Amino acid sequence: MRLPIDPQADIARRAWVACTACDDARHCAACADRRTCGEHWRCLIANTGPVLHLQCPGCTHTWPLDTFAHRGGTASRA
């Protein structure tokens, strides 16, 4: 059963990352080149600092993405 798009999702704010459930963009040349793709975007539900909470409009899967870690960042601890 597919759930609807979260009503809190801001579809005006989008992210272009692979869906961790359906990976619908795996054969898309634009996505492979990390270009903005009009078809394979994700809804931004919320963010907490560098962590984005995303939803795939295709399969409605939701997941968090730590953009700091996604870019290869490391946290420094004092």
Side-chain angles (χ1 to χ4, degrees):
M1 180 174 107
R2 282 181 43 170
L3 298 173
I5 296 294
D6 188 310
Q8 299 300 314
D10 183 353
I11 61 171
R13 294 180 66 196
R14 301 174 181 183
W16 285 267
V17 295
C19 176
T20 58
C22 70
D23 195 23
D24 59 345
R26 69 185 164 276
H27 299 296
C28 177
C31 291
D33 291 340
R34 295 184 177 220
R35 291 181 283 138
T36 300
C37 172
E39 186 176 348
H40 302 112
W41 52 270
R42 315 300 166 207
C43 300
L44 176 64
I45 296 172
N47 70 293
T48 308
V51 179
L52 304 179
H53 300 278
L54 304 168
Q55 185 172 31
C56 175
C59 72
T60 67
H61 173 69
T62 59
W63 75 100
L65 175 69
D66 184 340
T67 58
F68 187 72
H70 188 71
R71 289 184 299 221
T74 57
S76 61
R77 304 274 183 213

